[in-house]
Amino acid sequence: MESLLAERTAVVYGAGSVGSAVAKAFVREGARVFVAGRGEGALKQLAHDVEEDGGSLSTARIDAFDRDAVEGFLDTVVEETGRLDVSFCATSTRRPGGRQGAALGELSFEDFSLPIVDFTRAQFTTANAAAARMTPRRRGVIMMMTAAPARVPFPYTAGFGPAWAAVEAFARTLAAELGPRGVRVLCLHSAGSPDARHSIESTMATDLPELPARQQIWQERSAVHNLLGRGPSLADVGNMAAFMASDLAAASTGTTTDLTGGMTCR
């Protein structure tokens, strides 16, 4: 069977757990992959892991918030390969704050709005830069990543649920604009991968005595709503990203693909 992404060029923003899983899946499916991220160590580790598996990819230290840097990065990719077929942005907030675990009434507006600004800025910058290079060829796929609180009401998740909901709304609007020009726009919607390297401590309200009890509420609510009783593995996320980026999903755009074990299906 032919690889899903043979002869495609894909860029991935973020070399964390999700970005790395998606990049590895794209390489496995035959794409030429370029990964941009801020952390040199994570980029080197990803390149090493892919090489050990018999593949290869290119990396670059790029801040997805920096429009000029993103534009320059994509210029280099297109100059080298002649095309851009897939853009996947797995980046999130890069700043400490947000205070997950606090009640809305305990937040300042600055903490509430921090993830909303950061998530939407990263997706807006990378998606529009990709679209400018895809629409002349009338083909391409732009993919974003969101999480269950965008649709399932979880208490004490601060501005993170609204941030992911805003990303999904942005993706639908962009899909409506780019669909007639041959470009698809999609979200993957995850319940969180148990095998991910989580780095969310900087977003937690660790000074709150109530935090452990509130985190327990998250776990209980997830258990009630998850029909499979588990979150998606990182391999599940990578596999779905590769499938949705391929021509086998050519009729899908403006939609959010569920990877929550059914948490958002009703």
Side-chain angles (χ1 to χ4, degrees):
M1 182 177 179
E2 185 179 352
S3 298
L4 291 176
L5 301 176
E7 301 182 359
R8 308 291 172 85
T9 295
V11 297
V12 176
Y13 297 92
S17 295
V18 170
S20 293
V22 170
K24 290 174 183 177
F26 286 174
V27 170
R28 184 195 69 224
E29 293 299 332
R32 186 163 181 188
V33 179
F34 296 77
V35 180
R38 294 188 304 272
E40 184 176 5
L43 291 168
K44 287 183 176 179
Q45 184 63 54
L46 173 58
H48 173 75
D49 291 346
V50 169
E51 185 175 349
E52 281 206 328
D53 290 338
S56 65
L57 52 72
S58 301
T59 63
R61 292 189 68 185
I62 298 294
D63 185 347
F65 289 9
D66 185 335
R67 181 170 183 173
D68 290 340
V70 170
E71 295 281 355
F73 168 62
L74 293 185
D75 283 343
T76 300
V77 170
V78 173
E79 182 178 347
E80 186 171 338
T81 68
R83 58 196 295 161
L84 176 61
D85 299 288
V86 183
S87 174
F88 187 100
C89 185
T91 62
S92 56
T93 179
R94 67 181 183 183
R95 296 178 289 171
R99 295 186 62 78
Q100 289 197 81
L104 292 175
E106 297 166 347
L107 294 172
S108 68
F109 180 74
E110 288 70 25
D111 279 321
F112 174 75
S113 63
L114 183 149
I116 300 172
V117 171
D118 283 7
F119 277 81
T120 55
R121 181 175 179 179
Q123 299 293 349
F124 182 89
T125 300
T126 58
N128 280 311
R133 290 155 178 84
M134 293 174 175
T135 52
R137 297 178 59 240
R138 298 192 62 81
R139 67 172 297 148
V141 182
I142 297 169
M143 303 179 71
M144 307 176 192
M145 193 78 194
T146 59
R151 299 190 176 196
V152 179
F154 276 79
Y156 313 118
T157 50
F160 288 82
W164 289 312
V167 168
E168 292 183 10
F170 167 61
R172 290 191 295 270
T173 303
L174 191 62
E177 294 183 3
L178 297 184
R181 303 171 72 185
V183 176
R184 298 191 290 123
V185 185
L186 303 157
C187 283
L188 300 187
H189 183 80
S190 175
S193 299
D195 53 341
R197 302 184 304 275
H198 293 291
S199 57
I200 61 174
E201 284 303 313
S202 66
T203 72
M204 287 289 176
T206 53
D207 59 324
L208 282 178
E210 300 90 348
L211 182 61
R214 291 174 176 180
Q215 291 175 315
Q216 181 63 32
I217 292 173
W218 295 341
Q219 295 174 7
E220 292 170 355
R221 182 154 297 199
S222 294
V224 167
H225 287 278
N226 193 312
L227 303 183
L228 295 179
R230 68 173 182 88
S233 68
L234 289 171
D236 290 333
V237 176
N239 290 341
M240 184 60 75
F243 174 78
M244 296 304 293
S246 77
D247 288 343
L248 294 180
S252 292
T253 193
T255 190
T256 299
T257 300
D258 180 72
L259 287 164
T260 68
M263 292 173 66
T264 62
C265 73
R266 56 195 187 281

